[in-house]
Amino acid sequence: MQLTIDLTGRDVLVTGSAHSARQAVRRYEAAGAVVHRLSVPEGGPDDGPLPERPFLVAAVDDGQSGWEPLLERCRTAGIPVATEPAAGEPGHVTLVGGGPGVLDLLTIGAVNALRDADVVFYDRLAPYAELAQLTSAELVDVGKRPGHHKVAQCDIEKLMVDAALTGKNVVRLKGGDPYVFGRGGEEVSACVQAGVPVRVISGVTSAISVPAAAGIPVTHREVSHMFTVVSGHAPLTEKEHTHLAGLGGTIVVLMGIGTLPQLAAGLRRAGMDPAMPMAVVERGYRPGQRTTIAELGTIESAAAGCTNPAVLVIGEVVRVAEANRNHAEASADLNRLAASLLEA
Ligand code: SAH
């Protein structure tokens, strides 16, 4: 159960060792509470001095059994006791897949890792706008900002490793899934080489979720039984065009806006039908989400105004989305017609 309480100016007693309670203390402070600390269950079970009657006791589970009598006294006195998880082991790195940029598509693992972080290094494609709601950690933007240069990959790795070596819980929050064109493997290697414990929390990749935002299923029975995810960062080779065109499944391209003309021309040269439907889905799940649908033969001009971030989808599955949309619109029209007939 989750409950939201306004703690502004309220006295909150946070129990638990300094190390275990550090993140809970930051969270309650960030919520505007006046935080009081008790780090050792001293005073014995029954007669230890209770600091001024707090509004709430936040009991951090630091593994010491001595807290229970104190908490029991608080409960008996009618003071609510909230249990709080202890901060995790210090000095490790967690690579977190942030999904395509909306809170709804963060995993519970991602939310827990963010809550337990002391510092978060995030990219612009991750759900960064709401980060302050999810963590009391220091937030460091290592993505591209207008007018600023992106932090170089080796510098990001160094920042992560150095922070972990000073004992912090580090979260590296990435867009989508860390292992899909996310350089997650390199970041894991950097940690391993520095002897820093590291784990990876998978995320919802934009390769599947952004087409879905436009109603496009990447596979569909009797339409496509495979999908290939391609990076459009650099143009493909002629051989790759030939193989892709020969597969007959759905092709999903990330980072593909810049090389879209080369890709479309290459697939046509490799024999793909110029009437093959194609979609460009820009800014999935964000304000200004837009879908442009054309054919392999006409996509260059149709998508001329499209910008990153965008996911390209090439394949018959694009028609499934169109058919569903037309169906939905037709039923909405019918409903409107029925409503107006009823009114008349
Ligand atoms: N690891 C990420 C991909 C990183 S590459 C993942 O699994 O999703 C960055 C590319 O992802 C962008 O160029 C774009 O093609 C795609 N992308 C990520 N988020 C997107 C979004 N919200 N809308 C459209 N494309 C997105």
Side-chain angles (χ1 to χ4, degrees), residues 51-75:
E52 316 237 327
R53 185 188 165 92
F55 175 73
L56 177 83
V57 175
V60 174
D61 177 15
D62 65 359
Q64 295 188 64
S65 53
W67 293 109
E68 199 36 51
L70 172 85
L71 300 179
E72 200 40 51
R73 269 165 59 211
C74 292
R75 288 190 197 103

Side-chain angles (χ1 to χ4, degrees), residues 251-270:
I251 304 170
V252 177
V253 188
L254 305 193
M255 300 178 279
I257 291 294
T259 53
L260 184 127
Q262 287 103 308
L263 178 73
L267 291 175
R268 289 195 299 262
R269 275 200 304 281

Side-chain angles (χ1 to χ4, degrees), residues 95 97 174-186 188 199-200 202-203:
L95 262 64
K174 308 176 74 75
D177 184 274
Y179 282 161
V180 178
F181 308 136
R183 308 190 76 166
E186 292 164 54
V188 167
R199 65 187 177 129
V200 177
S202 298

Side-chain angles (χ1 to χ4, degrees), residues 211-227:
I216 304 173
V218 290
T219 69
H220 194 73
R221 208 162 68 87
E222 288 170 5
V223 175
S224 171
H225 64 195
M226 66 175 93
F227 64 99

Side-chain angles (χ1 to χ4, degrees), residues 274-288:
M276 182 63 82
M278 213 176 142
V280 179
V281 187
E282 298 167 85
R283 298 176 292 279
Y285 301 93
R286 297 177 186 195

Side-chain angles (χ1 to χ4, degrees), residues 47-302:
D47 44 30
L50 236 191
E52 316 237 327
R53 185 188 165 92
F55 175 73
L56 177 83
V57 175
V60 174
D61 177 15
D62 65 359
Q64 295 188 64
S65 53
W67 293 109
E68 199 36 51
L70 172 85
L71 300 179
E72 200 40 51
R73 269 165 59 211
C74 292
R75 288 190 197 103
T76 311
I79 303 166
V81 175
T83 34
E84 289 281 343
E89 277 302 300
H92 68 245
V93 170
T94 309
L95 262 64
V96 174
V102 270
L103 284 188
D104 282 10
L105 294 181
L106 274 183
T107 65
I108 292 175
V111 170
N112 289 343
L114 286 166
R115 186 200 56 211
D116 294 344
D118 293 308
V119 58
V120 178
F121 297 104
Y122 67 97
D123 286 332
R124 281 278 140 152
L125 283 176
Y128 64 89
E130 295 98 342
L131 267 183
Q133 297 168 26
L134 297 172
T135 181
S136 60
E138 180 194 352
L139 303 177
V140 183
D141 178 2
V142 291
K144 218 179 269 169
R145 280 166 296 163
H148 290 262
H149 272 299
K150 195 176 159 163
V151 180
Q153 182 64 27
C154 57
D155 293 334
I156 295 176
E157 288 164 14
K158 191 168 168 352
L159 282 170
M160 285 164 39
V161 165
D162 288 352
L165 289 176
T166 62
K168 290 182 177 164
N169 275 354
V170 179
V171 161
R172 170 75 175 110
L173 180 65
K174 308 176 74 75
D177 184 274
Y179 282 161
V180 178
F181 308 136
R183 308 190 76 166
E186 292 164 54
E187 294 177 4
V188 167
S189 299
C191 294
V192 170
Q193 271 159 33
V196 168
V198 57
R199 65 187 177 129
V200 177
I201 296 178
S202 298
V204 175
T205 180
S206 63
I208 297 170
S209 59
V210 170
I216 304 173
V218 290
T219 69
H220 194 73
R221 208 162 68 87
E222 288 170 5
V223 175
S224 171
H225 64 195
M226 66 175 93
F227 64 99
T228 308
V229 181
V230 181
S231 164
H233 184 64
L236 300 183
T237 64
E238 223 37 25
K239 217 170 166 181
E240 286 169 329
H241 288 138
T242 308
H243 289 314
L244 271 183
L247 273 172
T250 307
I251 304 170
V252 177
V253 188
L254 305 193
M255 300 178 279
I257 291 294
T259 53
L260 184 127
Q262 287 103 308
L263 178 73
L267 291 175
R268 289 195 299 262
R269 275 200 304 281
M272 191 181 270
D273 183 359
M276 182 63 82
M278 213 176 142
V280 179
V281 187
E282 298 167 85
R283 298 176 292 279
Y285 301 93
R286 297 177 186 195
Q289 176 181 322
R290 176 169 76 159
T291 308
T292 304
I293 293 182
E295 292 177 349
L296 184 65
T298 56
I299 191 72
E300 286 104 314
S301 52

